[in-house]
Amino acid sequence: FRNAMKWDEDDVRLVPLEWLKPHERIKERNRNKLLDMTKRWNGYTKPLIVDKRTGAILDGHHRFSIAALLELKRLPVICVDYLADENITVETWPGSERDTLSKDEVIEMSLSGNLFPPKTSRHTIADHLPPIFISLDELKLENDSQP
């Protein structure tokens, strides 16, 4: 039995796109579906989960990948202390090219500018992300509207 981390809307911050660092490639078909849905909703309904020290994306690579296509400047994220937080674990997906993966390797890859293949890392982070709605117009603005 593991304590699920619970977040609410107050934990969501808007951060500049260029601070965020992916560590794995995405599946284009999934990206295209998400792009269509995001345009239809005209906003983001789920934050990305990122490491607060490095900007490494732990969850939300597809949400990140459509931001440039939508000409967004910022994205909604929840920042976590990835290396120190024992509630956050990482393993590989079945069928991945790797048998094991460490948090350090995820951070290293995100900082290297290279990417793992899609569906390499599988993070156990939160059972519940807060439902949010942040309009695309707001995400296209440069400056952070949050304190």
Side-chain angles (χ1 to χ4, degrees):
F1 173 75
R2 142 188 177 301
N3 271 351
M5 287 192 264
K6 295 286 185 213
W7 288 297
D8 60 36
E9 265 185 277
D10 296 340
D11 297 313
V12 177
R13 296 279 168 263
L14 296 182
V15 300
L17 211 56
E18 57 272 11
W19 181 66
L20 299 169
K21 297 170 193 71
H23 70 269
E24 70 181 21
R25 291 192 301 278
I26 53 150
K27 296 193 168 181
E28 268 185 47
R29 201 180 72 215
N30 297 9
R31 185 205 54 210
N32 295 342
K33 263 194 246 173
L34 182 63
L35 181 60
D36 289 344
M37 285 193 303
T38 305
K39 283 178 179 172
R40 208 172 314 139
W41 296 325
N42 196 31
Y44 271 57
T45 58
K46 200 173 162 190
L48 289 74
I49 308 271
V50 299
D51 175 50
K52 70 180 186 182
R53 290 196 171 86
T54 61
I57 298 169
L58 309 175
D59 181 57
H61 283 82
H62 289 87
R63 280 166 274 157
F64 173 75
S65 71
I66 65 171
L69 301 173
L70 293 168
E71 299 177 0
L72 305 182
K73 303 273 192 272
R74 303 176 299 161
L75 284 180
V77 305
I78 290 178
C79 291
V80 297
D81 193 344
Y82 182 48
L83 295 176
D85 192 329
E86 291 172 15
N87 286 314
I88 303 172
T89 61
V90 64
E91 55 190 25
T92 56
W93 283 93
S96 158
E97 295 172 9
R98 301 174 61 105
D99 294 328
T100 63
L101 188 64
S102 71
K103 290 182 176 185
D104 287 321
E105 289 171 315
V106 168
I107 295 289
E108 271 171 42
M109 184 61 88
S110 72
L111 296 175
S112 75
N114 294 319
L115 299 171
F116 288 122
K119 292 286 179 203
T120 296
S121 68
R122 181 178 186 179
H123 283 95
T124 305
I125 300 177
D127 302 330
H128 171 74
L129 287 176
I132 60 167
F133 181 81
I134 300 173
S135 74
L136 295 181
D137 288 340
E138 190 176 341
L139 295 173
K140 287 177 181 175
L141 301 174
E142 286 283 349
N143 35 349
D144 195 337
S145 60
Q146 296 191 359

